[in-house]
Amino acid sequence: MDLSYGPEYQAFRDEVRAFTAKYADRAPRGALGGDMRDWQLLLIEHGYAARTIPKAYGGFGAAPDVLKSRIIAEEFLAAGLPMGMSGQGISMLVPTLLEVGSEEQKRRYIAPTLRGEIIWCQGYSEPGAGSDLAALTTRAIEDGDDFVINGQKIWTSTAAQADMMFCLVRTEPDAPKHEGISYLIFPMTTPGIEVRPLVTMTGRAEFNEVFFTDVRVPKTDVVAGRGQGWMVANATLKHERGMLGDPNQAGTRLKAIVELMQTEDVDGRRLMDNPALRDRLLKLQARVHAMEFHGLRLLTAGLKGEDPGVARLIVKLMGCELNHQLAAFAIDALGELGMLYNNSPHIRNGGNWQWSYMFDLGLIIGGGTAQIQKNIISERGLGMPREPKPAKV
């Protein structure tokens, strides 16, 4: 059995490796900012970001190729370089517009979003809807050429920084709840929008409440047609869950932990030389590799036009829990240093492991809780009975 990639892919790997060596000093150090946007443009230019998005919409325009995508991820991970920008706009809205957006919406929004010129937030969750997204009550009523929106969203990531929102609203109040929803896109500077940051258990304000009071949005800014919001929302959720459980993110964390264990020591002994810690590391490494191969399976199914079904849900469920366990392991490995927080002079890596441990708890809930994911997998994938509902009084 020959498991090598072959000469074509080896040449491509050499090309990627040459790029990472040549441009490593231009890689950004922060999550946002001009240097990240410059890096994103450089990656798009060379086909290492937005690789398969058509040139007409600002992408590189390459044909899909599972092995080349894998090689890019491997080489960037090995070089310790970021793979470009991600987030609600690039990772969720762009693929949604490619799938169901109008030609005008694709040409207007995709290219500047890929370049990091438009930051997006997602208006989905509501205070009274819980995990039942279709129970949303934010209403949009017709008035001339506009919809007029009133209501509230919650747990809206980056709303305080976003330029634009993609938002679910109820436009047909008398229709069955899954059929009366529309998917609108509009600027966050639209009059009538108020954003209130929510400080979470990380100590930072990653989420926000968003209030709408007579917010006017042109009817032309609906995606896929009025009343089609549930279909569009599920297209976006598919990409959101893939983003939240991205195996490349787990691979990056694992690499950071390996470096941590090679450089940190306790009582003069490297963490990597502790057999108990090394045993836990290997177990986590096996799970990271399993997620990577599962990602390749999903990618292959997508290229064949096949629906992977519940296999996609495993990414979000297992990926978020794995990321949380990686952060927990890093804290355990650091011993008493892992207990430090905020501005301690002895804190390691800026306290990112402690922050990730708390933040990832939220991601296990966000985008559909782990319990909801397990219910869907068991009912649709394993054919188990539906979860009993409380009797109506």
Side-chain angles (χ1 to χ4, degrees):
M1 180 182 293
D2 182 6
L3 296 178
S4 65
Y5 284 4
E8 176 192 352
Y9 292 104
Q10 185 56 51
F12 182 74
R13 183 182 295 280
D14 292 341
E15 174 189 319
V16 181
R17 195 169 291 173
F19 174 89
T20 58
K22 181 177 181 180
Y23 294 105
D25 60 346
R26 291 174 59 176
R29 300 294 175 238
L32 287 174
D35 56 343
M36 176 55 91
R37 292 195 175 105
D38 290 345
W39 181 246
Q40 177 78 356
L41 293 179
L42 185 67
L43 297 188
I44 294 174
E45 177 187 347
H46 288 80
Y48 303 136
R51 180 172 180 80
T52 60
I53 294 176
K55 283 184 176 291
Y57 307 139
F60 182 72
D65 188 312
V66 175
L67 291 182
K68 287 186 177 178
S69 296
R70 180 63 192 158
I71 288 170
I72 293 170
E74 287 178 355
E75 291 304 321
F76 273 68
L77 177 61
L81 300 179
M83 295 188 64
M85 301 180 74
S86 61
Q88 296 164 91
I90 292 176
S91 305
M92 295 162 57
L93 181 70
V94 165
T96 300
L97 290 182
L98 286 170
E99 190 174 335
V100 298
S102 69
E103 185 63 22
E104 191 276 336
Q105 288 165 345
K106 293 175 186 176
R107 291 187 179 275
R108 183 177 180 185
Y109 293 119
I110 291 179
T113 300
L114 292 176
R115 295 193 297 264
E117 296 167 0
I118 301 178
I119 304 301
W120 292 80
C121 63
Q122 177 192 45
Y124 272 25
S125 297
E126 295 191 3
S131 296
D132 185 3
L133 181 60
L136 63 92
T137 59
T138 294
R139 295 184 61 177
I141 298 174
E142 280 188 283
D143 185 14
D145 294 331
D146 297 334
F147 286 116
V148 179
I149 305 173
N150 283 281
Q152 179 190 352
K153 299 293 178 179
I154 197 168
W155 312 124
T156 311
S157 305
T158 68
Q161 297 81 29
D163 305 295
M164 298 283 296
M165 170 181 277
F166 50 95
C167 182
L168 293 179
V169 296
R170 188 163 297 284
T171 49
E172 275 73 33
D174 297 327
K177 69 177 184 179
H178 292 92
E179 299 174 11
I181 298 171
S182 295
Y183 189 106
L184 301 180
I185 49 181
F186 49 84
M188 290 298 287
T189 53
T190 307
I193 298 177
E194 180 186 0
V195 177
R196 298 178 189 171
L198 290 170
V199 177
T200 69
M201 56 189 171
T202 66
R204 304 178 191 173
E206 289 97 359
F207 302 113
N208 304 269
E209 293 177 288
V210 182
F211 298 86
F212 305 99
T213 305
D214 296 331
V215 176
R216 301 189 75 90
V217 175
K219 292 178 181 175
T220 52
D221 288 338
V222 63
V223 176
R226 177 173 177 166
Q228 298 301 309
W230 186 248
M231 177 273 291
V232 186
N234 276 282
T236 303
L237 281 172
K238 175 178 64 181
H239 301 296
E240 179 183 19
R241 289 165 180 162
M243 177 186 72
L244 293 176
D246 183 2
N248 292 325
Q249 185 182 142
T252 300
R253 288 192 182 196
L254 182 72
K255 185 173 188 292
I257 291 175
V258 170
E259 293 172 354
L260 174 80
M261 292 179 66
Q262 290 172 334
T263 54
E264 290 286 344
D265 61 74
V266 174
D267 296 331
R269 187 185 186 192
R270 289 193 321 161
L271 296 178
M272 188 60 83
D273 296 329
N274 181 318
L277 292 176
R278 202 164 57 235
D279 183 58
R280 286 181 62 185
L281 175 68
L282 289 175
K283 289 178 180 176
L284 288 168
Q285 184 184 42
R287 292 185 58 196
V288 170
H289 287 328
M291 290 299 296
E292 290 172 344
F293 292 128
H294 183 65
L296 289 178
R297 183 173 72 155
L298 294 180
L299 193 56
T300 301
L303 293 177
K304 291 180 176 178
E306 299 173 352
D307 181 4
V310 295
R312 183 179 288 114
L313 295 175
I314 293 174
V315 175
K316 197 274 176 183
L317 173 65
M318 300 303 294
C320 289
E321 291 185 348
L322 177 57
N323 284 335
H324 185 242
Q325 290 163 10
L326 286 166
F329 173 63
I331 291 172
D332 287 349
L334 284 168
E336 59 186 6
L337 296 178
M339 302 290 289
L340 301 177
Y341 222 75
N342 292 330
N343 300 317
S344 169
H346 302 292
I347 203 165
R348 297 295 193 266
N349 197 31
N352 281 338
W353 292 116
Q354 292 88 335
W355 177 85
S356 295
Y357 178 80
M358 303 302 284
F359 184 72
D360 288 342
L361 279 176
L363 294 186
I364 290 173
I365 299 171
T369 67
Q371 289 73 25
I372 292 293
Q373 306 299 313
K374 289 176 181 176
N375 277 356
I376 296 173
I377 291 169
S378 65
E379 292 168 8
R380 300 181 190 172
L382 304 178
M384 297 177 69
R386 291 182 64 83
E387 181 184 26
K389 302 291 183 185
K392 292 183 179 179
V393 179

